Amino acid sequence: MTALSAEAAEGLRELARPFLSGDRVKAQIGRAARRSGLTYWRAFDVWYGKARRIEAAEIEAIRAARATRAQEEARDEYSILLARIAACEAALGLPAADVAGTRDHAPGGTARGVDRPLDRAGRGLTVPAVGRSLT
């Protein structure tokens, strides 16, 4: 098995995820074939390393499908994180963030100039509300 055929087979296995309980390999291959745009039997041959050659267009289709899937997963994770942040804000009684993201993040809700990182060169980490060094 060449490096490209191994990459293609691994790419198809990644596209078949998530594996459902009781999921048969046939269903996994079919799912990977649909997501990559390959026919079932072509995906079958690539999956098991039986393909004598793999066209560049097939490799590119698999790579593009993996990239699309990664973007979708990142977008889903981002929306989940936004929902968790909103739930935390609601639990703490904080006002909702505006679209520009200019809400004050200082402890106690009082502005302390501008938002800046806690770790500044040569000073170590300090907690603004406590005023003592963490390092």
Side-chain angles (χ1 to χ4, degrees), residues 30-101:
R31 192 166 42 247
R34 277 191 308 278
R35 290 178 179 164
S36 65
L38 301 177
T39 65
Y40 174 83
W41 288 109
R42 185 60 182 162
F44 179 91
D45 288 340
V46 171
W47 183 284
Y48 286 112
K50 294 181 178 182
R52 291 188 178 174
R53 65 185 173 129
I54 299 176
E55 300 290 329
E58 294 170 333
I59 290 286
E60 289 303 316
I62 292 170
R63 287 177 181 163
R66 288 175 74 182
T68 301
R69 183 173 170 101
Q71 280 183 332
E72 290 171 355
E73 288 176 352
R75 191 178 314 116
D76 291 344
E77 187 174 341
Y78 179 71
S79 62
I80 289 169
L81 287 174
L82 287 178
R84 289 182 65 194
I85 289 171
C88 289
E89 288 173 342
L92 293 172
L94 298 175
D98 60 357
V99 177

Side-chain angles (χ1 to χ4, degrees), residues 1-17 19 29 32 38 42-51 54 59 62 66:
M1 185 180 286
T2 66
L4 281 179
S5 61
E7 177 190 348
E10 180 59 33
L12 287 178
R13 285 184 179 85
E14 184 179 316
L15 288 173
R17 289 187 179 103
F19 301 134
I29 295 172
L38 301 177
R42 185 60 182 162
F44 179 91
D45 288 340
V46 171
W47 183 284
Y48 286 112
K50 294 181 178 182
I54 299 176
I59 290 286
I62 292 170
R66 288 175 74 182

